Amino acid sequence: MLEYEEAILERLDPVVKEWFVSRFNGFTPPQKSSIINILNCNSVLVASPTGSGKTLSAFLAIINNLVRFARDNTLEDKVYCIYISPLRSLNNDIAKNLKVPLEELGRMHDAIKKIRIGIRTGDTTQQERAKMLRKPPHILITTPESIAIILCAPKFRELLRDVRWIIVDEIHELCSSKRGVHLSLSLERLENLANNKIVRIGLSATIHPLDEVAKYLVGYDNNKERSCYIVDTRFVKPMMLKTISPVSDLIHTSSERVNKRLYKLLKNIIENNTTTLIFTNTRSGTERVVYHLSKMNIVDADQLAAHHSSLSRDNRLDVENRLKEGKMRAVVTSTSLELGIDIGSIDVVAQIGSPKSIARCLQRVGRSGHSIDRESRGYLIALERDDLVEDVVICMNAMKGRIDKIYIPKNALDVLAQHIVGMAVEQRWKVSEAYSLIKRSYCYKDLSIDELRRVIKYLSGGYGLNEHKVYGKIWYDEANDEFGKRGYMARVIYATNIGTIPDEVSIKVYTANNKWVGNIEEEFLERLSKGDIFVLGGKTYQFVSAKGFKAVVKDAEGKKPTIPNWFSEMLPLSFDLGEAIGKIRGDIFKMLNDGYKENDIISLLVTEAYLDTNAAKALISYIKTEADFLKMLNVDAFPDNYNIVVENYIDEEKKQNIIFHAVFGRRVNDALARAYAEVAKRISKRNVIINVSDHAFMITITDGKLEPLEIINGVNQYNIRELLLSAIRYTEMVKRRFRHCASRSLMILRNYKGHEVTVARQQTNAEILIKLCEQLDRFPVLEETYREVMEDLMDINTAISILKDIEEKRRRFVILQKFDLPSPFSHDLIVAGYSDIVLMHDKKELLEVLHEMVISRIKNRDEDN
């Protein structure tokens, strides 16, 4: 690679070259490949771990050009480079980190002091914006929302016409959501505005597949992919990753002992390292871990802290600054520190529970070892059996360089509506020209002209909703097939209602006699269906209905919860990881069936699968018990990625529980569960309750006498969309999501004439409008709501491919006989809801009771034989 280094140094301005050589020993792997490409005006996607010099790999070529312009006295008052990231805190970080080299270069040559950096976000004051117009920053640091606003700012947009470079940081975080869809259209509008081809640079620590993300970054020209160089140095840093379990028996060991051993493990890790970052998967989990660690007095009180999104910004900033300054010994976080904010040097990362995806694991563990030559070290600590299996598979795949596939939403009609209004504010458009621009975005390359025309029809008032105060934002001239902005308010409405992140509020919960019992999150409410049972304030309630921000419940004393209160906080398991779990479970089942000794399998796992002996023993015990259970029922198949085992469990209350063992992740399982439940409901003419996890889903029917095969045969690859749509159509989920989509598509405004519209008013409007929209033919906002629920929140497309696999014999159902005990693989799913009404201690007891009942039955069967 020496020729690369020499080639780069030859191309650098003498001042930049002198500065670089005096500061660095050489170029890091991502820098060697990316800098030369950026100097050659090629778009680049850089995938490289934290601490590998990724940011400099993007900026060095740009700084080099700006320094040259400054020294030649050709540096103009305009924006040359735009840096976009998902976080304002990351923007502030980047600004600080850029100022250091520019100040050092400025001391070497006075002209370089002219290079300006500016931040423009929602926090930027009017005074600062006015100052930017007079003296625009040469490097503009911003967010996806702000770039969409300045594209329509009459004066500032003129400063963007000569933009040469765009950097999209943490691209994996953006492209997997509607914020990324929004950004993809902004990039195409910016490209359309610019006088020259823009070089696009994407940065990410962990992402897959790189070619798809590269297509997202650069888009298309005339249906042909634009060129993009991929710099794949994701695994250049040394890494140590290990799954550990506090105990070897996760069933019979008391919760007190498991907790004691967990905190002993954490104590050892913290004491043996200077700075430890601990991840949990929920905010409540973060607070619980900090509480227990503080009681142990492992470190001084001011050296231990929590960091999550529910804490104030000042609190979070204080923790981040103390981390950077090396003043913290341990910080516990949920998700808020996994992105690339500079938090200084971390020695080790501990993850409690499963991170749910290989990419997320690598992102989190990559926060340790803050330089290219330092090892990233991470421990995945499993406290439950399903988490244990996930952790083991994550470790194995991560250490072998395999990453799960990212999901990128496509054809979001609400985001499209917002941009069409923005485009209309800019100029008058021929529909064909607008369609051509929109299809350059990766997210809209498959958009049909019919879909675009229906969005234009809605925005121009073509659906006759004026009497309900949904006015046209654009005009449409059918004869000339053109559209443009309608009225002077269009620009203001667009600028003050931009973005994709919905307003969320808490929901007040009342009994039927109007007694207030507490609040729940809106995200939790949308998961509830009529008849669902949940816990609030230590008591169980059954969900009846909701209107606006009021939910009505009735007492359900003594009944089992169907949805635990932390469900909405949990990260979903990725489908790819689920498939890998199915494979390893199948491999271990096969070894047990083939007569391998348990100790030999444990030794093999410890040697090959990056886990400790405790974890290996617990894993084998879990799978062997399931194998023994199936053997007792004379079943020689086992749950893996070929066999979907279906239990027909009749519980002590005589309820029928049809349990599908499918490790497809919660998004896929949610879609499948609702479709099968819809069939069960139609056949039984009864309410059906579903319980979904990443590893399985359960359909419960009171006094049910259904044949599982009858339900299974009712769902196929061709009717699942209709079944799922029927199942979700009148749910809280669709009502809430309709408000979000209506807000994004400027149907319901969050801000009007300088006044904020309350979320309660937005929801009331949404409830009126959704009923009207159901009467309209293929109304785009309602269609988008259904698409978002089925494709983004759930995963209908993967569910369809699984059904296709079944129909084409690549997978199969294995239906067990009716039985009065659930198999060990079902226990965590069945007990999940209990965690709200019982202590951890009692939950462990319930699991142990279920386990012992199974073991006892297996022993009796063996003795009878």
Side-chain angles (χ1 to χ4, degrees):
M1 295 293 281
L2 268 176
E3 67 272 18
Y4 272 98
E5 300 211 17
E6 287 166 10
I8 296 167
L9 289 171
E10 277 175 23
R11 297 278 298 276
L12 292 182
D13 180 273
V15 176
V16 177
K17 180 179 176 180
E18 185 187 339
W19 169 81
F20 183 87
V21 170
S22 68
R23 283 286 310 269
F24 302 98
N25 293 325
F27 295 102
T28 64
Q31 290 167 357
K32 287 172 187 172
S33 299
S34 56
I35 293 169
I36 199 79
N37 270 303
I38 299 166
L39 286 168
N40 289 335
C41 299
N42 295 320
S43 291
V44 182
L45 174 65
V46 184
S48 194
T50 304
S52 60
K54 207 170 36 257
T55 307
L56 193 59
S57 73
F59 274 112
L60 188 66
I62 297 164
I63 289 171
N64 183 70
N65 277 284
L66 294 178
V67 165
R68 194 160 279 161
F69 298 154
R71 294 182 65 216
D72 294 348
N73 208 25
T74 56
L75 188 70
E76 298 178 51
D77 282 341
K78 59 190 179 186
V79 178
Y80 288 89
C81 169
I82 300 175
Y83 167 94
I84 300 166
S85 92
L87 297 175
R88 291 178 190 178
S89 53
L90 185 52
N91 285 344
N92 294 329
D93 243 22
I94 290 293
K96 281 182 205 167
N97 293 342
L98 275 179
K99 279 172 184 170
V100 172
L102 286 175
E103 282 170 4
E104 290 173 352
L105 286 161
R107 286 196 286 273
M108 296 169 73
H109 196 291
D110 267 358
I112 297 170
K113 292 175 183 174
K114 297 175 192 170
I115 299 171
R116 294 185 296 272
I117 300 166
I119 301 175
R120 176 151 176 171
T121 67
D123 294 336
T124 309
T125 65
Q126 205 59 48
Q127 189 181 3
E128 287 169 320
R129 289 176 193 181
K131 189 179 171 186
M132 278 187 194
L133 273 175
R134 293 191 301 273
K135 286 283 184 184
H138 301 111
I139 299 174
L140 175 65
I141 295 170
T142 188
T143 61
E145 293 74 21
S146 292
I147 194 69
I149 290 171
I150 60 178
L151 276 167
C152 282
K155 293 178 183 174
F156 202 94
R157 67 184 260 110
E158 293 305 312
L159 302 172
L160 305 180
R161 288 195 181 272
D162 290 313
V163 166
R164 298 189 181 196
W165 305 277
I166 292 174
I167 300 170
V168 182
D169 204 351
E170 303 291 356
I171 194 169
H172 66 281
E173 181 71 16
L174 283 170
C175 72
S176 58
S177 71
K178 282 193 174 179
R179 284 186 88 194
V181 178
H182 199 281
L183 176 62
S184 77
L185 279 178
S186 291
L187 295 181
E188 294 312 325
R189 287 168 60 193
L190 185 58
E191 187 87 37
N192 189 62
L193 173 70
N195 295 322
N196 42 265
K197 176 200 162 196
I198 300 175
V199 174
R200 304 189 196 189
I201 304 154
L203 304 178
S204 176
T206 48
I207 203 160
H208 174 79
L210 293 176
D211 57 345
E212 190 176 352
V213 180
K215 290 173 195 172
Y216 164 82
L217 173 67
V218 297
Y220 292 75
D221 262 333
N222 300 318
N223 292 321
K224 187 183 174 188
E225 295 162 21
R226 295 189 182 114
S227 64
C228 182
Y229 284 80
I230 294 172
V231 177
D232 182 7
T233 52
R234 288 171 294 181
F235 299 96
V236 293
K237 273 186 74 177
M239 182 171 66
M240 186 288 294
L241 201 53
K242 194 170 190 179
T243 298
I244 54 179
S245 174
V247 294
S248 60
D249 185 345
L250 287 168
I251 288 295
H252 296 99
T253 312
S254 69
S255 58
E256 289 90 348
R257 180 155 177 76
V258 171
N259 268 326
K260 194 173 177 183
R261 292 298 299 271
L262 164 67
Y263 288 106
K264 187 180 178 184
L265 273 175
L266 292 176
K267 180 175 184 282
N268 286 340
I269 292 169
I270 293 166
E271 286 180 341
N272 288 320
N273 292 280
T274 306
T275 310
T276 301
L277 187 58
I278 301 167
F279 281 98
T280 68
N281 284 345
T282 62
R283 297 183 292 274
S284 53
T286 293
E287 293 292 353
R288 189 164 58 247
V289 171
V290 169
Y291 172 78
H292 283 293
L293 288 175
S294 64
K295 291 282 182 191
M296 295 171 72
N297 296 319
I298 302 167
V299 295
D300 293 343
D302 60 351
Q303 294 178 315
L304 167 70
H307 188 290
H308 57 72
S309 57
S310 295
L311 295 171
S312 72
R313 184 176 177 275
D314 288 347
N315 241 326
R316 296 198 307 271
L317 208 56
D318 178 53
V319 173
E320 289 162 24
N321 288 333
R322 284 192 287 144
L323 262 173
K324 274 183 221 175
E325 293 162 8
K327 293 178 179 177
M328 302 299 295
R329 291 291 309 280
V331 172
V332 189
T333 183
S334 49
T335 58
S336 52
L337 284 180
E338 75 181 34
L339 291 185
I341 306 162
D342 183 8
I343 51 173
S345 184
I346 305 292
D347 296 303
V348 67
V349 168
Q351 162 75 50
I352 300 172
S354 165
K356 296 292 176 182
S357 89
I358 305 159
R360 190 176 294 110
C361 172
L362 289 168
Q363 185 77 25
R364 291 178 173 186
V365 172
R367 303 299 280 156
S368 64
H370 198 63
S371 61
I372 191 73
D373 53 341
R374 281 188 60 196
E375 183 179 63
S376 289
R377 293 190 298 128
Y379 295 102
L380 307 189
I381 306 172
L383 303 177
E384 294 182 0
R385 294 172 301 175
D386 284 341
D387 274 358
L388 171 64
V389 184
E390 290 175 22
D391 285 345
V392 169
V393 175
I394 286 169
C395 268
M396 286 174 66
N397 281 278
M399 292 299 284
K400 288 174 183 173
R402 298 182 193 131
I403 305 179
D404 24 31
K405 187 178 180 180
I406 199 160
Y407 168 74
I408 302 174
K410 297 182 183 74
N411 286 354
L413 299 183
D414 52 353
V415 174
L416 177 62
Q418 199 174 114
H419 274 276
I420 288 170
V421 173
M423 289 165 71
V425 167
E426 290 171 15
Q427 64 179 69
R428 180 191 201 105
W429 287 86
K430 286 272 188 194
V431 171
S432 58
E433 290 170 355
Y435 185 53
S436 175
L437 183 151
I438 290 159
K439 280 177 68 72
R440 290 174 202 155
S441 155
Y442 172 80
C443 300
Y444 292 96
K445 67 184 173 71
D446 300 321
L447 183 80
S448 71
I449 190 71
D450 173 61
E451 286 171 309
L452 175 61
R453 287 193 185 284
R454 283 189 290 115
V455 173
I456 289 172
K457 179 183 175 182
Y458 143 64
L459 287 171
S460 58
Y463 283 90
L465 293 170
N466 280 18
E467 62 187 271
H468 299 283
K469 297 185 179 176
V470 179
Y471 302 113
K473 314 294 185 300
I474 66 172
W475 54 259
Y476 173 57
D477 177 350
E478 202 167 343
N480 294 307
D481 207 24
E482 291 181 336
F483 68 88
K485 72 170 180 177
R486 179 186 285 185
Y488 73 96
M489 282 297 292
R491 185 188 301 278
V492 178
I493 286 170
Y494 174 77
T496 55
N497 289 275
I498 202 94
T500 60
I501 301 168
D503 296 325
E504 297 284 358
V505 294
S506 64
I507 309 293
K508 290 187 182 299
V509 180
Y510 292 87
T511 59
N513 59 3
N514 219 30
K515 182 188 171 189
W516 178 66
V517 293
N519 292 355
I520 56 174
E521 290 178 353
E522 190 175 3
E523 195 179 351
F524 181 66
L525 172 69
E526 75 172 24
R527 289 282 179 180
L528 295 175
S529 299
K530 189 175 179 179
D532 270 333
I533 295 163
F534 65 99
V535 175
L536 189 59
K539 293 184 177 179
T540 46
Y541 295 97
Q542 189 169 40
F543 177 65
V544 176
S545 64
K547 187 168 184 180
F549 294 100
K550 178 181 175 180
V552 178
V553 296
K554 63 181 180 183
D555 183 67
E557 194 64 39
K559 291 188 179 178
K560 300 173 189 171
T562 56
I563 298 186
N565 66 8
W566 40 261
F567 186 79
S568 60
E569 278 191 60
M570 285 296 289
L571 302 161
L573 184 81
S574 72
F575 174 72
D576 290 349
L577 181 54
E579 287 287 84
I581 288 167
K583 186 178 183 309
I584 196 172
R585 289 202 318 195
D587 289 346
I588 294 171
F589 271 122
K590 191 172 185 309
M591 283 192 277
L592 289 168
N593 269 4
D594 290 348
Y596 280 70
K597 290 180 181 174
E598 283 182 50
N599 284 341
D600 292 341
I601 304 174
I602 288 166
S603 299
L604 181 68
L605 285 170
V606 169
T607 308
E608 301 290 330
Y610 310 97
L611 72 169
D612 69 358
T613 306
N614 275 350
K617 284 179 178 175
L619 177 62
I620 296 302
S621 167
Y622 187 27
I623 292 175
K624 186 180 184 306
T625 314
E626 180 73 12
D628 290 342
F629 179 91
L630 293 169
K631 190 177 175 185
M632 177 180 69
L633 297 182
N634 297 316
V635 176
D636 59 3
F638 38 78
D640 59 7
N641 23 4
Y642 173 60
N643 297 314
I644 301 169
V645 172
V646 182
E647 295 184 52
N648 189 5
Y649 159 53
I650 311 299
D651 64 25
E652 68 278 7
E653 296 172 5
K654 304 301 178 194
K655 289 179 182 172
Q656 183 179 17
N657 303 277
I658 300 171
I659 303 166
F660 293 72
H661 290 283
V663 195
F664 299 140
R666 200 164 68 235
R667 288 179 62 228
V668 178
N669 283 352
D670 208 354
L672 290 169
R674 288 172 192 267
Y676 285 116
E678 181 67 13
V679 171
K681 186 179 168 184
R682 290 177 185 183
I683 296 169
S684 68
K685 306 284 192 290
R686 295 167 184 266
N687 264 347
V688 174
I689 289 173
I690 61 169
N691 196 343
V692 178
S693 79
D694 288 311
H695 291 235
F697 57 91
M698 179 167 71
I699 297 165
T700 302
I701 309 123
T702 308
D703 297 327
K705 295 182 177 68
L706 294 180
E707 285 300 322
L709 189 60
E710 194 178 1
I711 296 170
I712 286 166
N713 287 341
V715 182
N716 59 54
Q717 61 174 310
Y718 304 106
N719 72 359
I720 185 173
R721 272 190 187 274
E722 177 270 315
L723 288 167
L724 183 54
L725 183 58
S726 179
I728 65 169
R729 193 184 291 274
Y730 301 110
T731 60
E732 289 303 317
M733 183 180 294
V734 163
K735 288 180 195 171
R736 305 278 147 188
R737 295 279 166 162
F738 176 77
R739 187 192 89 229
H740 299 167
C741 293
S743 172
R744 285 188 204 104
S745 55
L746 309 179
M747 186 182 189
I748 293 171
L749 301 179
R750 290 179 290 162
N751 193 301
Y752 185 61
K753 293 185 176 178
H755 299 289
E756 278 193 25
V757 181
T758 65
V759 186
R761 169 53 60 190
Q762 290 175 42
Q763 185 61 31
T764 303
N765 293 345
E767 286 175 1
I768 295 165
L769 289 170
I770 193 170
K771 288 171 185 168
L772 293 166
C773 295
E774 282 163 358
Q775 319 298 319
L776 301 172
D777 180 37
R778 297 186 68 200
F779 186 68
V781 181
L782 187 58
E783 282 214 334
E784 173 54 27
T785 305
Y786 295 141
R787 189 211 62 78
E788 180 182 304
V789 171
M790 294 199 292
E791 292 185 14
D792 300 351
L793 189 64
M794 300 176 199
D795 187 355
I796 181 72
N797 293 319
T798 303
I800 289 169
S801 73
I802 287 162
L803 291 169
K804 188 179 179 185
D805 284 348
I806 292 163
E807 288 155 32
E808 295 176 0
K809 309 286 191 261
R810 287 187 294 273
R811 301 182 200 259
R812 66 167 184 169
F813 287 110
V814 176
I815 303 170
L816 306 189
Q817 67 192 58
K818 194 181 289 184
F819 205 59
D820 62 344
L821 279 179
S823 82
F825 276 13
S826 306
H827 294 179
D828 282 338
L829 176 70
I830 289 165
V831 173
Y834 283 126
S835 60
D836 288 340
I837 50 171
V838 298
L839 298 170
M840 183 69 184
H841 164 78
D842 297 321
K843 182 187 171 187
K844 292 281 293 179
E845 276 190 3
L846 285 168
L847 280 170
E848 191 171 346
V849 167
L850 279 171
H851 182 80
E852 288 307 321
M853 286 167 73
V854 168
I855 295 297
S856 171
R857 197 73 66 88
I858 290 167
K859 280 181 181 172
N860 291 340
R861 180 66 178 254
D862 289 345
E863 286 166 9
D864 290 344
N865 291 337

